[in-house]
Amino acid sequence: APLASLLGLPGDLQGTADAWGTGFVDELDYTAEARNSAYFNANVAKGALNGSVFAPAVVPELSSRQVLTTEWVDGQRLDRTDAQEDVPRLCSLAMSTYLEMMLSDGVLHCDPHPGNLLRTADGRLCILDWGLVTSIEPELQLTLIEHVAHLTAEDYAKVPSDLVKLGFVPPGGEKDIESSGVVEYLTDVYSTWNSGGGAAKLDVPALFARVQDLTAETENGLFQIPPYFAYIAKSFSVLEGIGLSSDPDYSIVKETLPYISRRIMTDPSPRTAGALETFVFGDIKDDRDARVLSPKRVETLLKGAQKYAATTSAAVAGPGAELA
């Protein structure tokens, strides 16, 4: 936290440091790790991911707080597997799995480095090492769904309100965002990020400098990093790195589309239904007389849902299954 302060990074630095410290301590409790992996497997068994992804089953009679014993799993690391042609599908499957954890289950695995992600001989994804997780509250889940839906639909005008709800901008900061020209700046950043290639296509030093300038220009600071975001950023940045290792043009934003498409098409909750309306109608969704379905957005939505189905069914069908 002191180093971050010297670098001028905004946010609750002590809270972020506490969040990291709590995670490190929790990793030493193997009883909790066993519980985390069992919770994941139970949730997978109830959903569309069943049969395509899993965590090694724990052997309770050989496990304790100090020792964890699981069933042996034969598999190859994603970055070393002989089936490199299957890695893009597995990256897409991993993205859908982690979004399911974060936005549905409420417990996110926070250590998805290549050594913890295995491809089994039958094409399933095995996730190892469940000691480091973070919990996501239901209200935050819904806000994240709305935000990701806005990004995938390229509705960047919704981003200021999203950033306030997510805690990246203090309450009441929407007007500061709109008057400072940050919407246009973020639109450019998100568009570049959406096009693929990861941080290599972004001028990261200039991005940080701009965030610091905007923070200094406003009375109470425009941007802040909420503590909960530390582990989410860690997880998805690692997943993006794995994706980029197999495809230099990999786009993590586009890879969220399969899960988000299926989620907003099947979740009956009012806020998720609102995200669906925003996706297909755009800014005028609330004007029922004037709104018109966007064929392009509907096509994007359907393609996302089709890719989700293809990604999750390929492992069940076998390694030779083709993606749509």
Side-chain angles (χ1 to χ4, degrees):
L3 177 59
S5 296
L6 288 174
L7 293 175
L9 298 179
D12 181 0
L13 302 179
Q14 182 175 340
T16 301
D18 288 343
W20 279 99
T22 299
F24 291 149
V25 172
D26 289 346
E27 279 195 277
L28 302 177
D29 184 352
Y30 290 127
T31 302
E33 181 170 346
R35 189 165 56 246
N36 294 335
S37 62
Y39 180 73
F40 172 72
N41 281 335
N43 285 323
V44 166
K46 297 183 291 186
L49 295 171
N50 188 31
S52 60
V53 61
F54 68 101
V58 174
V59 183
E61 60 271 21
L62 298 177
S63 300
S64 68
R65 183 180 171 86
Q66 288 79 33
V67 177
L68 179 65
T69 306
T70 70
E71 294 180 352
W72 180 263
V73 175
D74 280 318
Q76 296 178 318
R77 292 168 48 133
L78 292 195
D79 59 343
R80 299 178 185 174
T81 178
D82 296 331
Q84 283 298 309
E85 72 283 354
D86 198 27
V87 172
R89 178 190 67 84
L90 289 166
C91 286
S92 184
L93 175 59
M95 181 58 64
S96 292
T97 300
Y98 276 74
L99 286 170
E100 182 80 24
M101 283 189 257
M102 181 174 72
L103 301 178
S104 180
D105 302 342
V107 175
L108 177 67
H109 179 272
C110 295
D111 203 11
H113 62 75
N116 282 341
L117 301 175
L118 304 181
R119 182 191 186 276
T120 62
D122 58 358
R124 291 181 297 159
L125 178 67
C126 177
I127 303 177
L128 307 176
D129 193 355
W130 286 83
L132 186 59
V133 302
T134 191
S135 298
I136 313 295
E137 295 299 320
E139 181 69 18
L140 179 58
Q141 289 177 324
L142 290 171
T143 304
L144 286 166
I145 290 171
E146 292 169 338
H147 181 54
V148 176
H150 293 155
L151 293 184
T152 54
E154 300 183 11
D155 279 333
Y156 301 127
K158 300 287 196 311
V159 169
S161 176
D162 290 344
L163 294 179
V164 173
K165 294 176 184 176
L166 290 169
F168 287 95
V169 173
E174 298 99 322
K175 292 183 179 179
D176 287 330
I177 293 180
E178 293 168 0
S179 63
S180 65
V182 73
V183 173
E184 293 78 7
Y185 181 70
L186 288 177
T187 296
D188 181 61
V189 171
Y190 280 130
S191 297
T192 302
W193 192 28
N194 193 14
S195 68
K201 288 189 176 180
L202 295 172
D203 187 343
V204 176
L207 175 60
F208 272 107
R210 180 60 175 151
V211 169
Q212 290 174 342
D213 289 344
L214 289 169
T215 300
E217 290 168 5
T218 52
E219 182 178 351
N220 297 315
L222 186 57
F223 287 110
Q224 58 191 16
I225 307 299
Y228 76 81
F229 189 66
Y231 281 121
I232 293 177
K234 177 181 185 294
S235 295
F236 285 93
S237 63
V238 172
L239 289 175
E240 182 180 42
I242 295 172
L244 288 168
S245 69
S246 64
D247 177 8
D249 294 321
Y250 177 85
S251 169
I252 191 172
V253 176
K254 290 179 180 177
E255 281 300 325
T256 65
L257 181 62
Y259 174 83
I260 289 298
S261 296
R262 180 182 180 276
R263 179 66 182 269
I264 65 178
M265 290 172 66
T266 58
D267 189 333
S269 70
R271 285 181 63 180
T272 307
L276 174 60
E277 288 188 320
T278 297
F279 198 106
V280 297
F281 290 115
D283 290 338
I284 59 172
K285 70 168 187 174
D286 295 323
D287 189 341
R288 296 186 176 273
D289 294 326
R291 70 183 191 180
V292 178
L293 282 173
S294 166
K296 180 181 178 181
R297 292 186 176 205
V298 171
E299 181 182 14
T300 298
L301 193 68
L302 293 176
K303 284 184 176 180
Q306 288 171 349
K307 184 174 182 180
Y308 182 93
T311 299
T312 56
S313 64
V316 179
E322 295 184 358
L323 295 182

